[in-house]
Amino acid sequence: MPLRNSVTWACLISGYTQNGVPEEACLLFKGMVGSGFSPNHYAFGSALRACQECGPWGVTFGMQIHGLVSKTRFAFDVVVCNVLISMYGNSLGSADDARRVFDQIEIRNSISWNSIISVCSQRGDAVSAFQLFSRMEWQGSGFSLKPNEYTFGSLISVACSSFDTGLSLLKQMLARVKKSGYLVDLYVGSALVSGFARFGLIDYAKQMFEQMSKRNAVSMNGLMVGLVRQKRGEEAAQIFMEMRDLVDSNLDSYVILLSAFPEFAVLEDGKRKGTEVHAYVIRTGLIDIKHEIGNGLVNMYAKCGSIADACSVFRLMVHKDSVSWNTMIAGLDQNECFEDAVINFSVMRRTRLMPSNFTLISTLSSCASLGWKLLGQQLHCEGLKLGLDLDVSVSNALLALYAETGCLNESEKVFSLMPDYDQVSWNSVIRAFADSEASVVEAVKYFLNMMRAGWSLNRISFINILAAVSSLSLHQLGHQIHGLVLKYSVANDTAIENALLACYGKCGEIDECEKIFSRMTERRDEVSWNSMISGYIHNQLLAKAMDLVWFMMQRGQRLDCFTFATVLSACASVATLERGMEVHACAIRACLEYDVVVGSALVDMYTKCGRIDYASRFFHLMPLRNVYSWNSMISGYARHGHGHKALELFSQMKLHGQPPDHVTFVGVLSACSHVGLMDEGFKNFRSMSKEYGLAPQVEHFSCMVDLLGRAGELNKIEDFINKMPMEPNVLIWRTVLGACCRANGRNTELGQMAAKMLLELEPQNAVNYVLLSNMYASGGKWEDVAKARKAMRNAAVKKEAGCSWVTMKDEVHVFVAGDNSHPEKDLIYEKLKELNRKMRDAGYVPETKFALYDLELENKEELLSYHSEKLAVAFALTRQSGLPIRIMKNLRICGDCHTAFKYISRIVGRLIVLRDSNRFHHFEDGKCSCGDYW
């Protein structure tokens, strides 16, 4: 063109803007100004619209244009100002500039008002949006400034973003829309449907949707989003199917549809439907047009439990944004692929994409599940550098990480530095301390602080604090928490009722447990039954626990692995072999015999009930073993005197790739102690820290002291104790005193020192006085024995009476030394005389040194003859049977009875299994499994 004017330039700038070439429009505007032409309001308007499409650079250039406008007569032009409002409104952080432009307009039109209301809506500022709406109606009463579909659309959107008053505002807007006649408008109707669906009024939203004369993808999508949020995925998919021929679905429709499938009642059905949609988007090429569809597919497969398919989709995605990575990492974390989640986070960082709060939350969750404290700390540093630690959800994830890895100090520090808290924050810190035995009191303090700070309690708060109260066995506090539960009207929540059952059970208030359990009726789940059974067992009511198990079976109630494990543990604790075998039979019928939890409990039960052969056979039949299975079998062998088998099994454990833990080494060291393998014991003790990074605990040091004592190395014990990294506790000193008792009066100085420490630490424990008395008696120091017994009387403590018991046809027969209370006492003593005669004929000589009283020889022999375990074996022999005799004793068997039982086993030709407070003794053909080394 030979001649150009302002109109020519404005037309071409407008053309570039309208045809999606905003950068060219901005360059042309620069050229116009550079050529000396004065832009008119059309040129300014078109250039400013182009700036909106150019990102951060465009906003900067738009501000320069605004500076130019302010020097012209168009500074107050309503058209130019409206475009400026729109430009600033679309830029993050420039909303205040938009408001300043609006305030300087002298005569505003409906576009001005709609633009500024839209800006407030985008910011989520409902108060300002509705204040402006009120001013618009008041100021426009004489100028016909009536709200239109754009006004109502913005107001409905901002109402939905207000959680407190949103629903009330939305209902008021509905009345105003009806009054204005815009209910039939597609744009307004779609916004209302989406709004009511967002607030959970799905039926109302569906009714409005069905009444709309015209619908589009926006209205359909809004309804589907609401249904998905209410976990009504099937209905959302049904809406899509019904409407796909009536409206033109957009790409967002498919993204929303994919999010509906994980909300299906049956996940497998959701996955199948999702696979069909996956095939459709591949066939139509939609998957390559919008990467959000790929993100939706990854999310759908991950939430439907098909993580392999999610990974496959993710790998094939051409363009991955931060949402893609977040979705993949979250999916891996939710599907327990924790290491893969952490690896993907590392790969994401190498792509130079910045992690968001969602990325950190999922990765921290995986680190917590793996127990990777060091990597979690590195992620914490990453969050600090990016400023993401200020996000309350990230801080909550850090609280969970440090709690899971046992770093309570770090948890407390994170909590104290948080600028804001939410319910999850308080619940997380309460749970962290409630799970730690050493810091349970702190959990109660945080719970009280939460209430003082005015926070409302929810079900998680109550479950966490009840766990803490259970550990502390605080009866009164338990009742107060129960009162709060009633006050908050959550007493009928099954999880809270289960927590109350566990709490009252551990506090010994079994009557309260029974009241709650009886009220639950149809709300009982597997946890309820298990909690009730555990409560009975904790309160030593095994009969009631077993009755409840039988009642469960009669009702057809499914018994899970934890039920069986709990009951088997109880059977093991009181050594009721017959009941344990009955439970084993039930586990077989329930097809849970080879579950690793039940299997481990069975091994433990059989070892503690004296059937080491059954335990060994079952252990080797287990298809899967965990550390508890190995530990139970190793400890079982050690307890039954098969130390070499225990050490052989320990070697197999390492060959199978199962790393040992602290409990494993207690069993291994105990095995070495009971068979006198001192060198082997010290070798394993040193390997704990050198090979496995396990710091020896007081139990391990006690085993080593016991090992030295049984090997007769009393002179080395004191030196060993002095080199311990911790102060010796009651367990250590009692082990020392026990070793001195077995030494026949040797090194009484060490024993006296141990006794002195014990009496300072536990002056009311009768065992300490008895051990001291026995040590003096074994050395024949009867004056010192008398002094020890006098000190015991002065301290007003009572010695536990020694007793033995034997089970015959589900009836337990208990005996004490010199017992005359049994109805068959005459028959028992007659059998005992017969046994004594046969034993003497076989060469038995009573070991009177074990009669720990200063008596004549004949009296000592008579006293030894009537020990409780001898009465028990005599009673068992009054019955005609060839089965092994199984006897339990609450104290350690004395040396004379140990010798007598070897003779008896040979005389009667029967296996005699005796469990004392230390271990099992298998007497057969004149020999004991302990090798006389116990």
Side-chain angles (χ1 to χ4, degrees):
M1 292 178 70
L3 295 173
R4 301 169 185 159
N5 58 17
S6 297
V7 176
T8 312
W9 285 96
C11 286
L12 191 55
I13 292 167
S14 176
Y16 276 126
T17 301
Q18 292 177 22
N19 284 276
V21 197
E23 292 86 357
E24 293 293 331
C26 292
L27 290 172
L28 197 64
F29 182 82
K30 278 185 177 181
M32 177 184 181
V33 175
S35 299
F37 288 91
S38 297
N40 58 19
H41 64 281
Y42 296 112
F44 278 126
S46 297
L48 288 167
R49 287 192 188 91
C51 291
Q52 293 182 46
E53 307 298 326
C54 292
W57 171 84
V59 176
T60 304
F61 186 56
M63 293 173 72
Q64 294 171 359
I65 296 173
H66 188 184
L68 183 61
V69 168
S70 64
K71 298 175 183 178
T72 67
R73 59 191 174 88
F74 300 112
F76 302 104
D77 182 89
V78 68
V79 174
V80 175
C81 288
N82 289 346
V83 182
L84 279 167
I85 292 170
S86 180
M87 182 196 74
Y88 283 127
N90 285 337
S91 171
L92 292 174
S94 300
D96 293 336
D97 295 321
R99 184 60 184 265
R100 278 192 287 270
V101 172
F102 174 80
D103 290 338
Q104 72 184 22
I105 303 174
E106 294 177 354
I107 301 175
R108 306 179 181 103
N109 59 16
S110 59
I111 296 173
S112 312
W113 288 101
N114 286 342
S115 297
I116 194 64
I117 290 172
S118 175
V119 169
C120 293
S121 176
Q122 289 168 21
R123 292 179 68 192
D125 188 355
V127 174
S128 298
F130 279 93
Q131 284 177 347
L132 286 164
F133 176 59
S134 298
R135 282 178 57 193
M136 174 185 174
E137 291 204 303
W138 177 72
Q139 291 183 14
S141 58
F143 300 96
S144 300
L145 284 176
K146 293 182 179 179
N148 58 19
E149 65 271 26
Y150 302 110
T151 321
F152 288 125
S154 296
L155 291 169
I156 291 167
S157 296
V158 77
C160 295
S161 67
S162 178
F163 294 103
D164 297 330
T165 59
L167 185 56
S168 174
L169 289 171
L170 194 61
K171 288 179 178 178
Q172 292 177 49
M173 287 311 303
L174 175 61
R176 188 70 178 78
V177 166
K178 285 181 177 178
K179 183 179 176 182
S180 302
Y182 279 97
L183 192 59
V184 295
D185 182 84
L186 177 62
Y187 179 63
V188 176
S190 299
L192 284 168
V193 168
S194 178
F196 281 111
R198 184 186 293 262
F199 281 106
L201 300 175
I202 300 297
D203 295 333
Y204 198 73
K206 284 180 75 174
Q207 186 181 352
M208 289 187 63
F209 180 76
E210 290 163 1
Q211 289 175 355
M212 289 173 66
S213 57
K214 188 178 179 183
R215 306 166 194 149
N216 64 0
V218 176
S219 51
M220 179 184 75
N221 292 351
L223 182 58
M224 287 172 63
V225 167
L227 287 164
V228 171
R229 285 182 176 173
Q230 294 294 310
K231 303 193 179 299
R232 293 161 70 170
E234 289 92 339
E235 293 179 57
Q238 187 63 33
I239 292 288
F240 179 85
M241 295 301 294
E242 291 172 357
M243 297 302 300
R244 66 176 181 171
D245 295 328
L246 301 176
V247 301
D248 292 328
S249 304
N250 58 21
L251 293 173
D252 289 334
S253 306
Y254 289 99
V255 175
I256 297 165
L257 178 64
L258 287 168
S259 71
F261 298 132
E263 304 304 336
F264 273 39
V266 180
L267 273 182
E268 195 58 39
D269 292 344
K271 181 193 165 188
R272 182 169 49 80
K273 292 284 185 184
T275 307
E276 293 172 6
V277 174
H278 188 181
Y280 176 78
V281 296
I282 291 174
R283 191 171 69 250
T284 56
L286 294 175
I287 195 169
D288 299 320
I289 297 173
K290 191 177 178 73
H291 66 270
E292 282 83 354
I293 289 179
N295 295 345
L297 284 166
V298 172
N299 179 62
M300 181 272 296
Y301 281 124
K303 287 186 176 175
C304 287
S306 185
I307 194 64
D309 292 324
C311 292
S312 179
V313 172
F314 182 75
R315 274 196 309 270
L316 295 171
M317 287 176 68
V318 178
H319 176 68
K320 302 181 181 83
D321 61 2
S322 59
V323 177
S324 314
W325 287 99
N326 288 347
T327 306
M328 190 68 251
I329 293 168
L332 290 165
D333 178 58
Q334 290 159 10
N335 284 272
E336 299 183 1
C337 301
F338 305 121
E339 291 190 33
D340 291 330
V342 175
I343 290 167
N344 271 270
F345 175 82
S346 300
V347 176
M348 176 191 175
R349 293 297 285 122
R350 287 198 289 272
T351 64
R352 298 184 182 277
L353 275 172
M354 298 299 289
S356 67
N357 54 343
F358 300 108
T359 326
L360 272 186
I361 290 164
S362 297
T363 314
L364 285 167
S365 172
S366 290
C367 288
S369 300
L370 291 165
W372 288 0
K373 172 191 166 185
L374 186 60
L375 184 59
Q377 288 175 324
Q378 293 172 356
L379 289 169
H380 191 173
C381 293
E382 184 92 339
L384 288 168
K385 284 189 284 188
L386 298 171
L388 295 173
D389 62 306
L390 300 177
D391 181 276
V392 68
S393 297
V394 172
S395 295
N396 292 342
L398 285 166
L399 281 174
L401 165 77
Y402 288 126
E404 287 289 328
T405 53
C407 305
L408 292 186
N409 290 334
E410 284 82 352
S411 263
E412 196 167 18
K413 195 178 294 181
V414 168
F415 186 81
S416 65
L417 294 174
M418 287 174 68
D420 295 303
Y421 306 117
D422 60 9
Q423 264 190 336
V424 177
S425 314
W426 285 101
N427 289 341
S428 297
V429 76
I430 291 168
R431 182 186 174 187
F433 285 105
D435 288 344
S436 169
E437 289 185 16
S439 307
V440 180
V441 175
E442 293 297 316
V444 178
K445 290 179 182 176
Y446 274 103
F447 179 77
L448 296 173
N449 289 339
M450 180 182 180
M451 292 182 66
R452 291 187 188 111
W455 285 91
S456 179
L457 306 174
N458 63 8
R459 61 196 295 273
I460 305 298
S461 315
F462 287 117
I463 291 168
N464 290 343
I465 193 61
L466 284 168
V469 174
S470 299
S471 300
L472 294 168
S473 297
L474 296 174
H475 305 252
Q476 278 191 319
L477 186 57
H479 284 287
Q480 290 170 4
I481 301 295
H482 195 172
L484 282 172
V485 166
L486 295 168
K487 180 181 175 182
Y488 277 81
S489 302
V490 289
N492 291 333
D493 183 285
T494 303
I496 290 176
E497 287 176 311
N498 292 341
L500 283 166
L501 283 174
C503 177
Y504 280 129
K506 288 185 179 178
C507 290
E509 299 194 38
I510 203 68
D511 292 340
E512 293 293 334
C513 289
E514 290 175 340
K515 287 177 188 175
I516 294 168
F517 190 73
S518 64
R519 286 198 298 267
M520 290 177 72
T521 57
E522 299 305 317
R523 291 193 303 279
R524 294 171 190 157
D525 59 11
E526 290 171 359
V527 178
S528 315
W529 290 95
N530 288 340
S531 297
M532 197 65 223
I533 291 167
S534 297
Y536 280 135
I537 290 169
H538 182 76
N539 289 277
Q540 299 180 350
L541 299 169
L542 181 61
K544 281 196 170 187
M546 298 300 287
D547 289 343
L548 197 58
V549 172
W550 306 146
F551 179 61
M552 286 175 72
M553 295 172 66
Q554 288 168 3
R555 277 191 42 158
Q557 177 74 34
R558 179 181 175 273
L559 277 70
D560 64 9
C561 56
F562 298 105
T563 314
F564 285 112
T566 303
V567 179
L568 286 167
S569 176
C571 294
S573 66
V574 294
T576 55
L577 178 63
E578 291 76 11
R579 284 292 177 94
M581 294 179 76
E582 289 171 10
V583 177
H584 187 176
C586 294
I588 293 172
R589 287 198 294 273
C591 300
L592 287 172
E593 181 184 17
Y594 292 112
D595 176 272
V596 69
V597 175
V598 176
S600 301
L602 279 166
V603 171
D604 185 57
M605 183 272 294
Y606 279 126
T607 61
K608 289 179 178 175
C609 289
R611 293 309 305 253
I612 192 68
D613 52 339
Y614 284 8
S616 177
R617 190 185 313 159
F618 186 80
F619 175 81
H620 288 102
L621 288 173
M622 288 176 71
L624 180 68
R625 306 181 189 110
N626 59 16
V627 68
Y628 304 107
S629 321
W630 290 97
N631 288 350
S632 296
M633 198 65 241
I634 290 170
S635 298
Y637 276 138
R639 202 178 292 118
H640 283 264
H642 303 303
H644 294 286
K645 285 187 177 180
L647 296 173
E648 185 183 334
L649 194 65
F650 177 55
S651 299
Q652 290 179 26
M653 178 184 184
K654 291 184 286 187
L655 288 173
H656 279 76
Q658 176 64 61
D661 61 8
H662 286 93
V663 179
T664 315
F665 278 100
V666 170
V668 169
L669 297 176
S670 176
C672 294
S673 174
H674 284 302
V675 292
L677 298 173
M678 192 166 74
D679 293 339
E680 185 77 13
F682 273 95
K683 177 185 172 184
N684 284 304
F685 179 74
R686 286 190 290 267
S687 74
M688 282 186 69
S689 52
K690 287 184 179 179
E691 293 182 33
Y692 303 102
L694 298 170
Q697 297 173 351
V698 69
E699 293 85 359
H700 305 101
F701 285 101
S702 175
C703 287
M704 299 311 294
V705 171
D706 188 56
L707 175 62
L708 290 169
R710 290 179 188 277
E713 301 285 353
L714 296 184
N715 296 329
K716 294 181 181 180
I717 289 178
E718 190 171 357
D719 183 53
F720 181 82
I721 291 174
N722 291 334
K723 291 179 180 178
M724 282 172 52
M726 75 274 288
E727 286 294 320
N729 67 353
V730 170
L731 180 62
I732 297 288
W733 290 122
R734 192 171 292 138
T735 306
V736 172
L737 189 52
C740 293
C741 288
R742 288 191 294 272
N744 296 328
R746 287 191 297 114
N747 205 340
T748 52
E749 294 82 5
L750 177 63
Q752 286 172 338
M753 181 179 73
K756 180 184 175 184
M757 298 304 298
L758 278 173
L759 295 178
E760 285 181 9
L761 293 168
E762 282 188 348
Q764 295 301 310
N765 192 333
V767 174
N768 303 329
Y769 296 94
V770 172
L771 284 172
L772 179 61
S773 173
N774 290 352
M775 180 187 72
Y776 287 134
S778 64
K781 299 178 179 179
W782 302 112
E783 290 182 6
D784 291 326
V785 170
K787 289 177 183 178
R789 287 177 176 163
K790 183 180 179 183
M792 182 176 173
R793 286 193 297 273
N794 293 338
V797 294
K798 289 187 177 180
K799 172 184 176 293
E800 181 183 9
C803 67
S804 301
W805 62 96
V806 63
T807 304
M808 289 283 179
K809 294 183 180 180
D810 279 344
E811 189 176 353
V812 179
H813 298 263
V814 183
F815 301 91
V816 295
D819 199 344
N820 283 305
S821 61
H822 197 278
E824 298 182 38
K825 62 179 185 299
D826 294 336
L827 193 60
I828 293 169
Y829 279 101
E830 188 62 37
K831 175 59 74 174
L832 195 55
K833 285 180 183 177
E834 179 189 334
L835 287 171
N836 279 328
R837 189 177 65 254
K838 289 181 178 179
M839 284 193 295
R840 286 178 182 274
D841 292 342
Y844 163 72
V845 177
E847 298 185 44
T848 54
K849 64 181 179 180
F850 292 107
L852 302 177
Y853 290 91
D854 187 15
L855 301 171
E856 294 297 326
L857 184 63
E858 293 79 5
N859 292 334
K860 287 189 175 184
E861 290 184 8
E862 185 179 1
L863 191 65
L864 291 171
S865 298
Y866 302 138
H867 276 189
S868 63
E869 53 265 53
K870 288 180 180 174
L871 295 175
V873 76
F875 168 73
L877 290 170
T878 61
R879 304 294 193 269
Q880 292 296 321
S881 174
L883 294 174
I885 299 168
R886 301 185 184 280
I887 299 169
M888 307 295 160
K889 182 174 171 63
N890 66 332
L891 303 178
R892 183 173 176 268
I893 185 174
C894 81
D896 176 70
C897 289
H898 190 269
T899 302
F901 270 53
K902 289 194 291 183
Y903 278 97
I904 293 170
S905 67
R906 184 187 297 165
I907 290 165
V908 300
R910 301 261 300 268
L911 170 65
I912 304 172
V913 181
L914 184 139
R915 189 186 87 168
D916 67 9
S917 59
N918 281 5
R919 63 184 300 162
F920 278 91
H921 299 266
H922 297 253
F923 299 96
E924 189 172 19
D925 195 26
K927 295 178 182 178
C928 178
S929 59
C930 73
D932 297 338
Y933 194 89
W934 85 103

